[in-house]
Amino acid sequence: MSDVVIEIAGLHKSFGSLEVLRGVDVRVRRGEVVCVIGPSGSGKSTLLRCVNLLEEPTAGTVSVDGAELTDPDADIDAARRRIGMVFQQFNLFSHLSVLDNLTVAQRKVLKRDKQEAERVARENLARVGLAEKADSMPAQLSGGQQQRVAIARALAMNPQVMLFDEPTSALDPELVGDVLGVMRQLADEGMTMLVVTHEMQFAREVADRVLFMDGGGIVEQGPPAEVIGAPKQERTKTFLARVLDPTHAVE
């Protein structure tokens, strides 16, 4: 079994004449937590969406757990089963209970029977601290609880890797901590994670490696103590000065 779970090589993505990714190379090892930071429009979310082919790369290759998703003959559905994804918006089915939100994909995609799907669903709701909300409707939950349900739904599919696209950006500040706490717990359990985030404290404390993106490429990468604590590149320094101290005027 390879130590590398996600391998991205020479990734380019253009939308018409706009080049969003310019030859990005990333390797994520099994059990590693990699946080991607950078300004809006730097290509962070597009990079993440290319990993499970929600966006089709213009050039380059993406492999997950040994399967090359960009191969024209690849079984994309089978490959995507290895990947859990959590978006900024919760994307829960509003007409289904929390329990049904967690069982529908298990039954349709993994062909689990109702009893097994419900057992797995309740197990993962407990993992995110929401065991008692199984019969609730999404509208009865706070934004933070809905996002934790979305994480539990992804985990119920037994993914090899979890992708998070700014999972706390739509939440009220007081609800952010609960979601980050669940993500921290997953990291402690050894889940391989690629996280686009603007939560610098989370990246500093939880990430094994931080990638700083700008202009469609990786400007700087390394341990958080280096990239966030002592950045080498001027562009990284400027970005962090603005993010970590918004009142600080940068020339």
Side-chain angles (χ1 to χ4, degrees):
M1 189 181 282
S2 170
D3 183 46
V4 176
V5 182
I6 301 174
E7 184 151 20
I8 300 164
L11 192 66
H12 288 259
K13 176 62 184 177
S14 297
F15 295 97
S17 61
L18 178 65
E19 193 175 21
V20 179
L21 296 176
R22 306 164 186 258
V24 175
D25 299 309
V26 179
R27 300 176 95 204
V28 182
R29 296 186 303 278
R30 199 169 302 280
E32 189 177 26
V33 178
V34 176
C35 284
V36 186
I37 63 172
S40 274
S42 60
K44 308 183 301 293
S45 290
T46 302
L47 172 66
L48 211 64
R49 292 172 69 85
C50 282
V51 172
N52 63 359
L53 260 59
L54 287 176
E55 296 290 355
E56 193 166 332
T58 307
T61 60
V62 177
S63 298
V64 176
D65 212 21
E68 188 193 323
L69 275 69
T70 40
D71 182 334
D73 298 324
D75 183 342
I76 301 299
D77 291 334
R80 279 184 178 144
R81 284 173 208 155
R82 302 183 177 99
I83 307 166
M85 186 152 185
V86 178
F87 301 87
Q88 297 179 29
Q89 302 301 329
F90 324 123
N91 297 329
L92 299 178
F93 295 114
S94 60
H95 65 292
L96 297 180
S97 70
V98 165
L99 188 66
D100 288 341
N101 263 282
L102 265 72
T103 58
V104 64
Q106 291 187 66
R107 297 180 68 184
K108 288 184 182 298
V109 178
L110 300 183
K111 307 302 182 190
R112 288 176 180 155
D113 64 36
K114 184 172 185 285
Q115 191 174 359
E116 173 69 358
E118 289 192 0
R119 182 190 67 76
V120 172
R122 291 182 189 281
E123 203 172 85
N124 283 291
L125 284 172
R127 271 175 98 178
V128 301
L130 293 173
E132 77 288 355
K133 298 294 185 182
D135 298 323
S136 300
M137 300 301 285
Q140 297 172 304
L141 306 180
S142 70
Q145 288 171 331
Q146 289 188 60
Q147 191 62 295
R148 283 150 64 197
V149 169
I151 294 172
R153 179 176 59 182
L155 292 173
M157 303 296 284
N158 298 122
Q160 298 300 306
V161 57
M162 287 284 286
L163 309 177
F164 292 89
D165 187 6
E166 299 205 20
T168 59
S169 65
L171 301 179
D172 291 334
E174 63 185 15
L175 302 176
V176 167
D178 289 340
V179 173
L180 293 180
V182 168
M183 293 169 65
R184 190 185 301 258
Q185 174 189 322
L186 291 178
D188 290 344
E189 292 170 2
M191 175 63 76
T192 306
M193 294 162 61
L194 185 57
V195 183
V196 170
T197 185
H198 60 272
E199 300 288 347
M200 294 301 142
Q201 194 63 26
F202 176 82
R204 196 194 294 264
E205 293 175 6
V206 180
D208 297 298
R209 191 156 41 104
V210 173
L211 311 181
F212 171 68
M213 287 187 70
D214 190 36
I218 296 171
V219 175
E220 188 165 353
Q221 64 175 299
E226 291 178 14
V227 176
I228 298 175
K232 297 180 178 68
Q233 301 299 321
E234 208 53 50
R235 182 65 187 96
T236 319
K237 291 177 184 175
T238 306
F239 170 76
L240 288 168
R242 287 193 167 131
V243 170
L244 298 175
D245 183 7
T247 60
H248 178 69
V250 179
E251 296 300 325

